[in-house]
Amino acid sequence: MEYKGNSWHETCFLCHRCQQPIGTKSFIPKDTGYFCVPCFEKQFAYQCCACKKAITIGGVTYQDKPWHRECFLCIGCRKQLSGQRFTSRENFPYCLECFSNLYAKKCVGCTKPITSLAGAKYISFEERQWHSECFTCMQCSVSLVGRGFLTKRDNILCTDCGREK
């Protein structure tokens, strides 16, 4: 076995960690030693906090912990998150869709989540929220954004509809 001007018998070229002959298998030089791939991964490679296997290429770091790209998943739907926008709650990562469905305020008008993505504006009144485009008179559907309105039980009405008997 020859490497960088040095020569060994095949049975004398040993892994620095396990002391087993490397022979013609792949090896990794580190400092003054040579390591078989499994020993190098055990001793020097980051271990994925999800699957506990060595991260040999790529990987992501979340909360100072290493993950394989394919192991970093949304806690809700299990979609891969690496390279995607995501958020977290109580240290658990969520894709934006799952987070919105689980935790965002819901619009009274359309029942869909109200998210702050793209600077979405919303109206809040008496513990209820609406998307700006959903904040309309319950009777005539005119937009109530920036206008006065009246309440009739749980209904929001424009002043014209609210005055009708």
Side-chain angles (χ1 to χ4, degrees):
M1 170 70 193
E2 288 186 29
Y3 179 71
K4 288 201 171 184
N6 295 317
S7 298
W8 295 267
H9 293 111
E10 224 175 88
T11 55
C12 295
F13 187 57
L14 305 177
C15 171
H16 189 74
R17 184 170 188 260
C18 69
Q19 297 298 307
Q20 294 299 308
I22 295 173
T24 58
K25 295 183 285 196
S26 296
F27 69 93
I28 299 165
K30 173 102 169 117
D31 302 325
T32 58
Y34 305 99
F35 296 84
C36 64
V37 173
C39 284
F40 182 86
E41 288 177 354
K42 281 181 194 140
Q43 188 162 343
F44 299 107
Y46 286 112
Q47 306 297 312
C48 174
C49 66
C51 72
K52 310 297 184 223
K53 293 181 182 165
I55 299 171
T56 55
I57 53 168
V60 296
T61 301
Y62 172 68
Q63 295 183 329
D64 294 326
K65 294 178 186 164
W67 303 71
H68 287 111
R69 294 173 64 85
E70 59 274 12
C71 292
F72 186 55
L73 307 173
C74 171
I75 199 77
C77 67
R78 312 296 294 159
K79 269 196 287 192
Q80 191 172 319
L81 293 176
S82 64
Q84 306 297 316
R85 291 179 64 190
F86 70 93
T87 190
S88 67
R89 181 157 179 153
E90 298 172 2
N91 297 326
F92 292 108
Y94 290 91
C95 69
L96 299 180
E97 185 177 345
C98 284
F99 185 86
S100 294
N101 289 333
L102 291 168
Y103 300 112
K105 295 173 179 174
K106 304 294 188 274
C107 175
V108 173
C110 70
T111 70
K112 291 183 180 158
I114 296 173
T115 63
S116 60
L117 297 177
K121 294 191 175 32
Y122 69 96
I123 288 86
S124 185
F125 176 72
E126 292 182 348
E127 305 295 318
R128 296 181 288 169
Q129 290 80 31
W130 293 261
H131 294 106
S132 292
E133 61 274 14
C134 297
F135 190 57
T136 59
C137 174
M138 294 291 226
Q139 202 165 316
C140 72
S141 299
V142 68
S143 173
L144 297 175
V145 176
R147 299 178 55 175
F149 60 90
L150 301 169
T151 60
K152 190 173 187 181
R153 294 188 223 34
D154 285 342
N155 292 330
I156 304 291
L157 303 169
C158 68
T159 51
D160 290 342
C161 292
R163 287 193 186 110
E164 293 175 5
K165 300 272 184 207

